[in-house]
Amino acid sequence: LKQVLGYTEHLLEGVEPAVRGRETALGNFLADTMRERMHTDIAFTNGGGIRASFPAGTVTYGDVLTVLPFGNTIATAMIRGGHLLEALEAGFSQPGTGRFPQVAGIRLEVDLSAPPGRRILAAEITHGAQAGRLDPERMYRFVTNNFMRAGGDGYTALRDRAVDAYDTGPLLEELVAGFLAARSPAQPMLDGRIRQR
């Protein structure tokens, strides 16, 4: 648990209510790690699965387990753009709860005062060959955790609509630990990937 993996230049906030209601630097770091390591178009994880912050300075394996204590595995699959929006709408349907998404590879404009199911105003894929406005008919490869892929936190579209799913990838905490060790210092930042009206 005391094994040093790397360090961060700033505190990466990962506590309530931040990760359950807005984009955070730690949420961005975790989602970016998942997307880059699994080579997908999009990544997202539920704010409720993030249970602590990374301290400024040295980060140990114990810190990673404190942030990600559930032993979730990485899950990848393909999904049509319209069904992806359906899943993400579920994530924005109850702000302040664990289902709020932390994302990578996608930029979203949302209005949390709109009726649930109609809160995403715009969605754009930001990396790779699929970059551009999200197409409801196009297939996209995504990565998340196995809890969400199984429909947890209201993400039933990931359970019911995804295809070519692989739910038993590496442990999320091991993926993050390896990435942190390879990319230290971690310098994630807020970049407007979830813009709230």
Side-chain angles (χ1 to χ4, degrees):
L1 295 179
K2 294 181 180 179
Q3 177 189 356
V4 174
L5 300 172
Y7 68 96
T8 64
E9 295 190 346
H10 308 284
L11 171 74
L12 301 186
E13 186 178 22
V15 295
E16 299 179 31
V19 293
R20 297 175 179 235
R22 62 175 172 81
E23 175 189 348
T24 67
L26 179 55
N28 287 356
F29 172 74
L30 297 174
D32 285 341
T33 297
M34 295 164 69
R35 190 189 69 79
E36 290 185 33
R37 281 290 168 117
M38 302 309 294
H39 307 290
T40 61
D41 301 309
I42 304 154
F44 43 92
T45 192
N46 53 325
I50 303 170
R51 290 306 178 100
S53 300
F54 276 157
T58 299
V59 179
T60 66
Y61 196 82
D63 292 323
V64 173
L65 292 179
T66 301
V67 169
L68 302 168
F70 297 109
N72 291 124
T73 58
I74 290 291
T76 58
M78 298 288 291
I79 195 167
R80 199 171 300 280
H83 297 145
L84 174 64
L85 288 177
E86 180 184 341
L88 291 172
E89 282 283 6
F92 292 114
S93 66
Q94 297 177 15
T97 68
R99 64 176 57 189
F100 191 92
Q102 300 289 326
V103 305
I106 190 169
R107 184 176 295 114
L108 300 163
E109 184 177 350
V110 299
D111 181 356
L112 298 181
S113 67
R118 292 189 290 171
R119 292 182 169 174
I120 297 176
L121 306 178
E124 178 185 1
I125 305 301
T126 58
H127 294 83
Q130 302 276 41
R133 185 175 178 179
L134 186 136
D135 183 343
E137 298 303 319
R138 179 176 285 183
M139 298 296 290
Y140 297 93
R141 180 164 293 281
F142 71 89
V143 58
T144 188
N145 62 64
N146 63 313
F147 169 74
M148 294 175 69
R149 229 292 294 163
D153 268 347
Y155 285 83
T156 55
L158 302 184
R159 179 194 66 206
D160 300 338
R161 302 293 193 175
V163 297
D164 296 332
Y166 183 72
D167 298 331
T168 54
L171 290 169
L172 177 55
E173 63 265 25
E174 291 182 357
L175 194 80
V176 170
F179 191 81
L180 184 61
R183 295 281 186 93
S184 192
Q187 297 176 305
M189 63 183 69
L190 301 178
D191 56 15
R193 60 186 70 178
I194 300 177
R195 299 174 181 171
Q196 297 187 31
R197 281 194 178 181

